[in-house]
Amino acid sequence: MATLSDRFNINAQLEHLQSKYVGTGHPDINRFEWNLNIKRDTYASFIGHHSLTAYHAIAENESTGRIKYNFLQNMLLPCGLPPEKEDEA
Amino acid sequence: MHLYNLTLSRPSAITCAVVGSFSAPKVHEIVAARGQTLELLRPDEAGRVQVVHSTQVFGVIRSLTPFRFPGSQQDYVVCGSDSGRIVILQYSKEKNCFAKVHQETFGKSGCRRIVPGEYVAVDPKGRACMIAAVEKSKFVYVLNRDNEARLTISSPLEAHKGSTLCYGITGLDMGFDNPVFAAIELDYAEADQDPTGEAASEAQKHLTLYELDLGLNHVVRKSSEPVDNGANMLIPVPGAGDGPGGVLVCAENFLLYRNEGHPEVRAVIPRRTSLSGERGVLITAACQMKIKTGFFIFVQSEYGDLYRVSLDYEGEQVKEVKVKYFDTIPPCTSLCLSRKGFLFAAAEFGDHALYQLASVGDDDEEAVEASSATLMQTEEGYAPVFFDPRPLRNLEPLDKLESLAPILDMKVANLANEEIPQIYAACGRGPRSSLRVLRPGLAVTEMAVSPLPGNPTAVWTIKKSAADEYDAYIIVSFSNATLVLSIGETVEEVNDSGFNGNVPTLQTQLLSDDSMLQVYPAGLRHIRPDRRINEWRAPGRKTIVKAATNERQVAIALSGGEVIYFELNPQGMLVESEKREMGGDVACVDVAPVPEGRQRCRFLAVGMFDGTVRVLSLDPDSTLKVLATQAVGATPESVLLLDSPSAGKEGTDEGAGAGALFLQVGLVNGVLLRTEVDRVTGQLSDTRTRFLGTRPPKLFAAAVRGERSMLALSSRPWLGYSDQGKFNLAPMSYEALDYAAGFCSEQVPEGFVAVARNTLRVLTLERVGEFFNQQALRLRYTPRKFVIHPDHKVLVIAEADHAAVPLAQREDLQQQQQPPAAMDTDAPAQQQDGIAGPEADEEAAAREEQWGTPKGEPGQWASCVRIVDPVALQTTHCIELGENEAALSVCLVAFESQPEMGTLLAVGTAQGLKFYPKEVQNGHVRIYRFLEEGRRIELVHSTAVEGVPGAMAAFKGRLLVGVDANLRLYDMGKKRLLRKAEHRKLPTRVATLHVAGSRIYAGDGQESMHFLRYKKADNQFYEFADDIVPRHITAALHLDYDTMAGADRFGNVFVSRLPPEISAQVEDDPTGGKYAAQTGIMGGAPNKLTTINNFHVGETVMALQRAVLQPGGRELIVYGTINGAIGVLYPFTSREDCDFFQHLEMHMRQEHPPLLGRDHLAYRSFYFPVKDVVDGDLCEQFPQLPADKARGVAEELDRTPGEVLKKLEDIRNRII
């Protein structure tokens, strides 16, 4: 059971945010992770705004359904493979 | 600068649509979301789609789904939007609008990754609904009814799963067992962690079932089974007695039947023979319908092919899944199949269509069918099944809803020399592209035009009996005779009607006892039903000059200014009941029809030559007593008493206008006055004026959509009608008419008969309620940009399509075109002009519109440059570009160094442009010269550049080209363009270029506007100012020397200005900005632009134009969006107006929050805080407020509701 002080503890708050909102950063975030979140957010926004989907669909001459599907597929690995983890010394 | 935003024509693209019975049981209606507009559409008996209701919701509508409770016969709509709220709407028939039943908040607003709204699904029994996000979040709401059968909604139940993408959800048909929702999910957690890529390549989509335990009020993740990795969509299969239950999973190339504890049944989707092997077939739309004997499922692929899916099942065991080619229609965002067999196809680009299902394809033996039973597995996977698309066989097109979406470029110009400029919009995509000419006004169809002997003065239509549905006679009056035409199979002259043909006629009327009345200068001729004729002669030497009649009342005005009033008595006699000297000559009279259930209309309106209009009482105790007089400032030409919209209908919370009677007065100076008449006292109040044209408006009553409306004939005809409870005055796109009357016959159920000079015309209106009428010219490829040649008055359009096969390489076309080309003598000439593409031939064009064109490789382009005569709307020349070049920009340029060349056309092309990653082999700037007064062009030379020439502009007698991120200045050479200067420092790519003096305004693809200066002495460009916010510019408009308006990809419009002191400093700088440009920090320019206006339109604005849309009107900004909306930004003329509308907007935000729960202020500030732009669309919803709230808001503004309405009308009238 969290005490009152815990709840107002900045770390606890951050943890809470991180669990609630995907993409909330943390002090050890690396370039890859940062990028990952931005790209996924962008794709989600493209899918959500019909006019942005249409914009891409016109450029690529594909159907909007295909464009949305491709964007969703891209969300799996939006910026290539993750970098090798450096072993923490 | 303060701007007023007003959408003139709502978005025409449909983002999603659902079918159901929304307004009443057993009606088949469609709720369609058009970006931020929600609409109710109803296909009528004749198969025409009528817009019943349309409302702006100030939010992004992302998903819709209908649901109903068992036993109930009406549907609710669940909306997923960007508001972070779930909203359940019900259509209220009484109020004729959508009513919010529930609104539950669950998350942040905006189209976010983890905030639900993208997908909505309901349990088929209406017990629960699930709303899901693209990632992680899913909420389930339990829906129920309380004791009074009102809808209740539970608190949300979470069904989240982190780091999981969701491709689609649906509610399974479980009968009355616990509701189950299915979802296609993909977990990316491992792929994020695995640097070897093994996890990513092994990532597997799962079909997950979520069960809502109604007893425990809890959602459990019931099962999660791997499913084909191409899965993208789910279609529920009817269950619980109506079918096997379970779900159809649409995957790339396959359809899979899945159910719990049931083996997967897989069938391939037949593919087009012409499709390259690398391309998959993805199902993008589906619809289904349950009938008593089973169910139909239709799916549509991304190429537009419709398939019928049938399941062979026994109990709950599905033995076979069959996918049969059905027909091909353009690709749709949504398909709506109603029980009447109407299929509404909401096309993703271009016109929407309504089809009738002629057959369900059962007897179609030839159609290709793929079945799970005959599925062949080979070493390369499953064997595909092929078919060729064919003309429609099972569907019959009924109706078309015109759509401008997407508008890719738009210009406003008066090329046809009309009263107001036309809007030229380049619309559509691929083979469905078109150039559309828009004119504000109603489209008129000419049903018949016939010449008459001499110039008629007037025309009427008359029925034989009040019970008749159709008009029987058309009566045409000349200056000395009257012609009676009977309406039948043909229209012919008759002499047995009883009318006197030897005198001119002033008025005709069918009286309520089925007798007919002819008013002529010497008297009245009353033709009784038994053909006895009563004549009344005008006293002495006086003649009748004007007459007004209705079913029971007749008022005539004699020369000298005497008004005589007659009434029809119960014996069927017209009895003179009162006369009165008006003290001056009468210019016009009118009496309204007798209200239902009453004996008489209580008011007579009389216009006098002394410039007054009087309202006279027709009550028996005070007959012809003057009740009110209004001085109108000019001689009234015509008066008309018209009920306000929805007068007498119950349950309208119309506000102040409800049930009022309006007196319309057309003055000789071309102004139309509209004054409210108090129904009890006859007092006149609240006058509104509107200039209609240079001729005095003549006013006539005619039925439009069953309601008595007004035709006003000035230098162009206008129609005053009620549209969704508002009085709307719209011009008709037709030439000037002299006289008109309503017309109703079997062929023309609702129209007008009119005379113009010596012709008699029968006209009908198309699509009352549409703001613009359109004319279209078909194009071959997606139009990218166009320019107008100001001298030759021609349009030059650059068209280009990615992944399309150029005309020369189209094998299918060559085969088809060989035989007719030999026979047609015109063909060689056309071929030479290059206009003999598929778009020039009706049949080929229809085929391409239906099927689309063959798909090419990525990086393959088809492109052409076209010259269009905008008045005749014809292509005069078209040059197809070869070698994979794509024309992306055009501009006109006159080189100073070679004045003899005149104005030349520069076309920027990219060769072999590819996306993801963007790469290009080469770019070219092609220079063409105009021949034959601009009807043809001829290539002068082509200059290679190393990037994409995205924008060009003529600058000081040279050509400025934005090549990728570089800015270059070219001069004309003999064999090629000569590079004179270059600037290399723009951030991403040049999207727009404008010039003024020695300043250059470049819009960057991602980094907003940049102001540059060219210094001739140094032959260099200096960037002296840029913007502080990143904007992905799609369109820009030069407003003045320091100010640019622009639009970005995310749907914002802004106006940026260089502060005046900096502007002066830059101008005075002796170094020409050289020094100033060097002092910028962090690579930016030294000076920054300030934002003057900011506004979120809600959809990508593709074109901005300055225009005056009204004779004598003010200049304003017109914008066109990718969803096909056209709107304006109107600069306020006075501080007072601006304050008023700002306050009105503020109160409207409070009192009338948007329907889908998005905060209006937050929506208009989606990316940047809204600045100094008042949203007229919200203000115009003022009439929708309930009366007490409207009064409250008006009081806050120190006005009456009527005055607020008047203000709204005024500003609209000033715009258009």
Side-chain angles (χ1 to χ4, degrees):
Chain A
M1 200 57 199
T3 60
L4 196 68
S5 61
D6 272 354
R7 208 185 301 161
F8 292 104
N9 178 335
I10 184 80
N11 285 326
Q13 274 185 29
L14 206 58
E15 252 166 52
H16 173 73
L17 280 176
Q18 273 153 357
S19 70
K20 193 168 175 195
Y21 300 110
V22 177
T24 310
H26 54 87
D28 301 326
I29 197 161
N30 59 22
R31 191 186 178 85
F32 177 79
E33 246 178 276
W34 170 267
N35 233 329
L36 208 60
N37 280 323
I38 287 181
K39 290 254 168 86
R40 285 204 179 113
D41 287 341
T42 309
Y43 282 125
S45 169
F46 285 171
I47 294 165
H49 289 99
H50 183 263
S51 70
L52 284 171
T53 315
Y55 192 82
H56 286 93
I58 292 161
E60 289 182 52
N61 201 10
E62 292 283 356
S63 88
T64 47
R66 165 66 80 172
I67 294 286
K68 281 192 186 185
Y69 176 72
N70 285 352
F71 284 156
L72 271 168
Q73 290 292 78
N74 289 353
M75 281 174 79
L76 172 65
L77 215 58
C79 24
L81 295 174
E84 296 277 349
K85 274 217 182 95
E86 290 163 34
D87 282 324
E88 282 160 47
Chain B
M1 183 165 62
H2 290 259
L3 299 171
Y4 181 76
N5 166 68
L6 189 67
T7 306
L8 295 183
S9 166
R10 51 120 175 78
S12 40
I14 293 181
T15 53
C16 56
V18 290
V19 67
S21 307
F22 300 103
S23 68
K26 295 202 169 143
V27 289
H28 302 288
E29 288 162 326
I30 295 155
V31 170
R34 300 182 183 256
Q36 47 176 326
T37 308
L38 195 65
E39 276 191 355
L40 185 74
L41 309 172
R42 190 183 297 150
D44 64 11
E45 290 303 316
R48 291 181 66 81
V49 181
Q50 306 289 350
V51 179
V52 181
H53 175 69
S54 175
T55 185
Q56 280 236 32
V57 299
F58 308 105
V60 183
I61 308 169
R62 299 161 76 190
S63 48
L64 295 172
T65 185
F67 80 93
R68 67 169 71 176
F69 289 121
S72 148
Q73 289 188 305
Q74 251 173 286
D75 290 284
Y76 294 92
V77 199
V78 189
C79 295
S81 69
D82 66 336
S83 61
R85 289 166 166 167
I86 185 170
V87 173
I88 299 178
L89 301 175
Q90 185 179 27
Y91 190 77
S92 150
K93 202 180 178 188
E94 294 76 41
K95 291 182 178 170
N96 196 17
C97 67
F98 287 102
K100 194 160 27 182
V101 183
H102 280 292
Q103 169 177 306
E104 297 299 322
T105 311
F106 51 68
K108 289 188 181 183
S109 60
C111 294
R112 286 167 208 265
R113 192 164 132 203
I114 53 155
V115 179
E118 183 62 28
Y119 311 107
V120 200
V122 291
D123 171 57
K125 290 278 183 278
R127 293 168 300 167
C129 79
M130 178 183 255
I131 184 161
V134 166
E135 188 181 315
K136 185 182 166 189
S137 316
K138 289 182 191 67
F139 286 113
V140 176
Y141 287 89
V142 181
L143 306 168
N144 220 327
R145 277 180 289 194
D146 66 8
N147 295 334
E148 278 135 50
R150 281 176 310 199
L151 174 67
T152 60
I153 189 165
S154 72
S155 45
L157 306 168
E158 285 183 15
H160 300 339
K161 185 164 186 295
S163 57
T164 305
L165 301 174
C166 178
Y167 285 76
I169 58 170
T170 192
L172 299 192
D173 191 352
M174 303 302 291
F176 286 100
D177 289 346
N178 278 335
V180 172
F181 294 94
I184 303 172
E185 293 183 342
L186 175 64
D187 194 320
Y188 67 70
E190 280 175 31
D192 274 2
Q193 304 300 329
D194 180 17
T196 60
E198 208 173 300
S201 62
E202 279 172 8
Q204 178 67 46
K205 284 183 190 165
H206 283 74
L207 182 69
T208 311
L209 299 182
Y210 292 92
E211 182 174 3
L212 167 66
D213 193 320
L214 285 171
L216 294 172
N217 201 22
H218 181 63
V219 182
V220 285
R221 203 179 163 88
K222 198 177 176 192
S223 72
S224 190
E225 302 284 329
V227 71
D228 189 295
N229 256 343
N232 71 315
M233 206 168 96
L234 294 171
I235 305 166
V237 177
D242 298 329
V247 64
L248 272 173
V249 182
C250 306
E252 208 164 354
N253 297 326
F254 299 105
L255 273 179
L256 321 164
Y257 174 79
R258 296 287 291 257
N259 201 356
E260 252 197 310
H262 191 288
E264 182 178 275
V265 188
R266 177 188 290 255
V268 299
I269 303 170
R271 55 195 286 134
R272 288 189 188 186
T273 327
S274 61
L275 210 58
S276 111
E278 287 138 41
R279 299 188 70 101
V281 180
L282 198 69
I283 297 297
T284 53
C287 60
Q288 60 167 311
M289 182 174 64
K290 255 200 266 184
I291 53 166
K292 282 199 180 105
T293 53
F295 54 89
F296 299 114
I297 298 176
F298 293 97
V299 296
Q300 191 186 31
S301 76
E302 55 184 316
Y303 310 108
D305 302 315
L306 281 172
Y307 306 93
R308 184 178 156 198
V309 183
S310 38
L311 302 177
D312 194 359
Y313 64 92
E314 212 167 87
E316 292 193 341
Q317 283 299 310
V318 173
K319 290 189 263 176
E320 194 181 354
V321 175
K322 288 183 278 191
V323 187
K324 191 173 188 180
Y325 173 64
F326 190 68
D327 258 335
T328 300
I329 57 172
C332 295
T333 49
S334 294
L335 291 169
C336 297
L337 185 61
S338 78
R339 273 169 187 279
K340 278 186 185 159
F342 288 140
L343 178 74
F344 179 73
E348 54 184 28
F349 296 113
D351 298 347
H352 313 297
L354 183 74
Y355 299 91
Q356 168 82 51
L357 224 57
S359 83
V360 289
D362 280 335
D363 48 353
D364 191 354
E365 298 296 332
E366 291 162 41
V368 174
E369 187 177 67
S371 161
S372 59
T374 56
L375 187 70
M376 297 260 288
Q377 196 159 14
T378 63
E379 282 172 13
E380 290 134 32
Y382 296 97
V385 176
F386 293 103
F387 72 93
D388 282 308
R390 49 154 204 222
L392 290 181
R393 178 173 297 172
N394 300 316
L395 295 174
E396 277 170 27
L398 288 180
D399 193 16
K400 218 175 186 185
L401 264 91
E402 282 173 337
S403 163
L404 292 174
I407 295 177
L408 293 153
D409 199 3
M410 183 185 79
K411 299 251 173 353
V412 186
N414 195 353
L415 302 179
N417 273 329
E418 290 170 9
E419 206 170 61
I420 50 168
Q422 306 89 49
I423 298 177
Y424 295 89
C427 310
R429 194 188 64 169
R432 306 191 81 206
S433 312
S434 57
L435 175 78
R436 303 204 187 201
V437 186
L438 308 177
R439 293 177 173 88
L442 303 165
V444 176
T445 315
E446 227 168 46
M447 304 300 281
V449 179
S450 45
L452 288 169
N455 282 1
T457 53
V459 65
W460 299 269
T461 52
I462 192 163
K463 289 177 186 172
K464 266 193 177 146
S465 130
D468 282 1
E469 197 177 339
Y470 302 122
D471 289 323
Y473 299 116
I474 298 176
I475 296 144
V476 187
S477 171
F478 297 88
S479 54
N480 56 0
T482 297
L483 186 69
V484 182
L485 306 166
S486 97
I487 306 166
E489 288 283 296
T490 57
V491 172
E492 52 198 25
E493 188 178 349
V494 287
N495 295 315
D496 60 345
S497 57
F499 285 98
N500 184 351
N502 300 321
V503 290
T505 304
L506 291 173
Q507 176 75 7
T508 66
Q509 175 72 45
L510 177 78
L511 299 173
S512 60
D513 64 345
D514 292 349
S515 60
M516 289 187 281
L517 177 75
Q518 179 187 15
V519 184
Y520 60 99
L524 306 180
R525 184 181 173 91
H526 185 198
I527 307 152
R528 306 283 297 272
D530 53 5
R531 290 299 156 115
R532 278 184 301 152
I533 288 167
N534 292 352
E535 291 263 1
W536 178 91
R537 303 226 165 260
R541 288 203 199 138
K542 288 184 174 171
T543 55
I544 303 174
V545 288
K546 294 285 167 194
T549 55
N550 64 22
E551 306 92 285
R552 294 175 170 278
Q553 296 162 289
V554 177
I556 55 171
L558 300 180
S559 53
E562 192 177 1
V563 171
I564 306 180
Y565 173 61
F566 298 85
E567 244 180 61
L568 189 71
N569 71 5
Q571 288 76 43
M573 304 291 284
L574 271 180
V575 182
E576 182 181 333
S577 61
E578 190 64 55
K579 61 171 80 174
R580 184 187 171 90
E581 273 300 329
M582 294 302 290
D585 273 334
V586 173
C588 46
V589 286
D590 188 57
V591 58
V594 179
E596 217 168 295
R598 298 279 174 84
Q599 277 298 312
R600 58 181 66 80
C601 167
R602 293 188 50 220
F603 304 113
L604 175 71
V606 180
M608 308 284 296
F609 275 106
D610 61 5
T612 57
V613 175
R614 295 173 194 186
V615 176
L616 273 56
S617 164
L618 296 180
D619 276 340
D621 49 345
S622 60
T623 315
L624 295 190
K625 196 181 135 204
V626 177
L627 296 175
T629 304
Q630 187 184 18
V632 289
T635 308
E637 166 77 15
S638 180
V639 285
L640 185 74
L641 285 164
L642 197 68
D643 282 315
S644 81
S646 64
K649 277 188 203 155
E650 281 180 336
T652 50
D653 41 9
E654 240 292 287
L661 184 68
F662 282 98
L663 175 66
Q664 314 264 1
V665 186
L667 304 180
V668 285
N669 56 13
V671 169
L672 179 78
L673 292 184
R674 189 154 76 95
T675 306
E676 197 180 330
V677 183
D678 189 298
R679 275 196 188 274
V680 180
T681 62
Q683 288 302 308
L684 298 172
S685 62
D686 190 18
T687 303
R688 298 168 199 188
T689 58
R690 176 89 203 251
F691 177 71
L692 294 192
T694 47
R695 279 168 49 174
K698 284 186 205 155
L699 310 177
F700 303 96
V704 171
R705 294 197 286 207
E707 285 186 57
R708 191 169 179 262
S709 306
M710 176 183 71
L711 265 176
L713 307 181
S714 179
S715 50
R716 55 179 168 158
W718 293 71
L719 182 75
Y721 63 102
S722 80
D723 186 32
Q724 292 181 26
K726 268 192 311 202
F727 182 77
N728 200 351
L729 191 62
M732 286 156 62
S733 289
Y734 201 71
E735 59 188 281
L737 299 171
D738 297 324
Y739 208 95
F743 181 74
C744 175
S745 78
E746 212 171 330
Q747 289 82 27
V748 185
E750 201 168 73
F752 312 109
V753 55
V755 290
R757 290 183 306 281
N758 63 342
T759 54
L760 182 72
R761 297 161 191 235
V762 177
L763 311 170
T764 58
L765 291 173
E766 301 259 309
R767 302 228 176 269
V768 176
E770 293 282 323
F771 194 82
F772 290 106
N773 77 74
Q774 335 180 338
Q775 283 175 292
L777 171 75
R778 233 181 258 120
L779 304 178
R780 196 178 295 165
Y781 308 120
T782 312
R784 300 287 164 168
K785 285 275 181 303
F786 71 93
V787 285
I788 298 173
H789 194 298
D791 303 330
H792 297 317
K793 302 229 156 134
V794 292
L795 309 184
V796 185
I797 308 173
E799 302 169 28
D801 263 345
H802 180 239
V805 184
L807 216 51
Q809 294 167 31
R810 287 273 297 276
E811 284 157 19
D812 57 325
L813 278 181
Q814 275 158 8
Q815 283 161 11
Q816 281 157 5
Q817 274 193 342
Q818 284 312 325
M823 283 183 277
D824 199 348
T825 48
D826 287 348
Q830 284 201 342
Q831 213 84 51
Q832 195 196 340
D833 277 356
I835 43 182
E839 77 278 11
D841 171 17
E842 276 301 316
E843 212 176 299
R847 207 164 42 225
E848 301 236 315
E849 265 194 31
Q850 187 200 340
W851 299 342
T853 46
K855 291 278 178 193
E857 310 280 314
Q860 186 178 17
W861 286 82
S863 175
C864 65
V865 180
R866 176 187 302 265
I867 312 289
V868 174
D869 173 0
V871 180
L873 208 58
Q874 263 180 349
T875 303
T876 59
H877 194 195
C878 181
I879 293 180
E880 176 93 10
L881 300 179
E883 300 188 15
N884 222 2
E885 277 186 54
L888 297 176
S889 56
V890 280
C891 120
L892 296 175
V893 58
F895 287 100
E896 221 163 57
S897 56
Q898 307 208 356
E900 69 283 0
M901 302 285 277
T903 305
L904 298 170
L905 172 72
V907 178
T909 65
Q911 195 173 18
L913 179 62
K914 264 188 194 171
F915 304 111
Y916 309 119
K918 190 171 168 183
E919 53 185 60
V920 62
Q921 290 165 0
N922 226 339
H924 294 273
V925 179
R926 301 169 76 99
I927 301 288
Y928 292 91
R929 113 169 29 105
F930 287 95
L931 304 171
E932 298 170 27
E933 309 222 301
R935 293 180 65 82
R936 298 172 57 81
I937 49 172
E938 181 190 62
L939 183 69
V940 180
H941 53 57
S942 168
T943 309
V945 293
E946 73 291 339
V948 182
M952 297 189 291
F955 179 66
K956 292 187 177 267
R958 290 169 168 186
L959 180 66
L960 196 62
V961 185
V963 182
D964 285 340
N966 306 329
L967 202 58
R968 283 209 194 128
L969 193 60
Y970 282 103
D971 205 345
M972 188 68 177
K974 283 265 180 270
K975 295 239 170 103
R976 49 167 291 148
L977 294 172
L978 310 171
R979 190 193 297 184
K980 293 293 177 194
E982 189 177 40
H983 180 76
R984 284 181 168 273
K985 279 177 201 141
L986 287 166
T988 49
R989 71 182 169 88
V990 181
T992 62
L993 272 180
H994 289 79
V995 295
S998 57
R999 277 193 193 174
I1000 297 157
Y1001 311 86
D1004 188 86
Q1006 288 180 10
E1007 294 289 342
S1008 197
M1009 303 302 303
H1010 296 262
F1011 285 22
L1012 295 94
R1013 202 178 147 82
Y1014 175 69
K1015 195 167 184 218
K1016 203 164 183 189
D1018 300 1
N1019 192 27
Q1020 269 188 321
F1021 297 98
Y1022 301 107
E1023 187 181 341
F1024 63 87
D1026 63 8
D1027 208 346
I1028 49 168
V1029 282
R1031 297 180 196 265
H1032 297 205
I1033 301 283
T1034 53
L1037 177 68
H1038 181 244
L1039 292 182
D1040 68 31
Y1041 198 51
D1042 293 327
T1043 318
M1044 286 295 288
D1048 73 15
R1049 191 157 71 127
F1050 305 105
N1052 305 303
V1053 180
F1054 62 93
V1055 178
S1056 287
R1057 177 175 288 167
L1058 188 67
E1061 60 280 7
I1062 295 176
S1063 172
Q1065 194 187 321
V1066 171
E1067 289 303 303
D1068 297 342
D1069 189 348
T1071 63
K1074 184 181 174 183
Y1075 169 72
Q1078 281 166 349
T1079 52
I1081 45 165
M1082 306 281 285
N1087 304 307
K1088 297 294 171 190
L1089 302 174
T1090 49
T1091 304
I1092 305 198
N1093 299 101
N1094 231 333
F1095 187 69
H1096 181 68
V1097 173
E1099 44 204 54
T1100 314
V1101 170
M1102 300 296 279
L1104 288 167
Q1105 277 281 299
R1106 290 161 81 137
V1108 176
L1109 292 179
Q1110 198 177 50
R1114 261 174 77 87
E1115 206 170 43
L1116 39 77
I1117 301 173
V1118 186
Y1119 59 80
T1121 74
I1122 203 163
N1123 284 354
I1126 293 178
V1128 295
L1129 294 167
Y1130 171 81
F1132 280 112
T1133 42
S1134 71
R1135 188 80 226 169
E1136 190 201 339
D1137 271 5
C1138 174
D1139 278 349
F1140 171 77
F1141 283 104
Q1142 265 179 347
H1143 282 101
L1144 178 60
E1145 187 191 30
M1146 186 183 82
H1147 290 297
M1148 285 300 291
R1149 277 180 189 146
Q1150 291 259 307
E1151 300 297 331
H1152 190 71
L1155 191 63
L1156 293 191
R1158 186 83 159 102
D1159 182 56
H1160 178 266
L1161 182 63
Y1163 178 67
R1164 291 305 187 190
S1165 313
F1166 209 121
Y1167 292 83
F1168 304 104
V1170 63
K1171 186 162 191 288
D1172 292 347
V1173 181
V1174 176
D1175 188 8
D1177 295 335
L1178 181 69
C1179 294
E1180 288 220 331
Q1181 292 192 347
F1182 179 77
Q1184 293 170 19
L1185 287 180
D1188 54 331
K1189 276 193 179 173
R1191 217 170 303 121
V1193 170
E1195 261 166 35
E1196 294 278 342
L1197 298 164
D1198 288 334
R1199 280 180 169 81
T1200 64
E1203 285 167 341
V1204 176
L1205 287 173
K1206 186 177 167 183
K1207 271 279 207 192
L1208 285 167
E1209 212 168 283
D1210 275 353
I1211 194 151
R1212 195 172 242 278
N1213 291 346
R1214 264 183 273 157
I1215 288 168
I1216 194 129

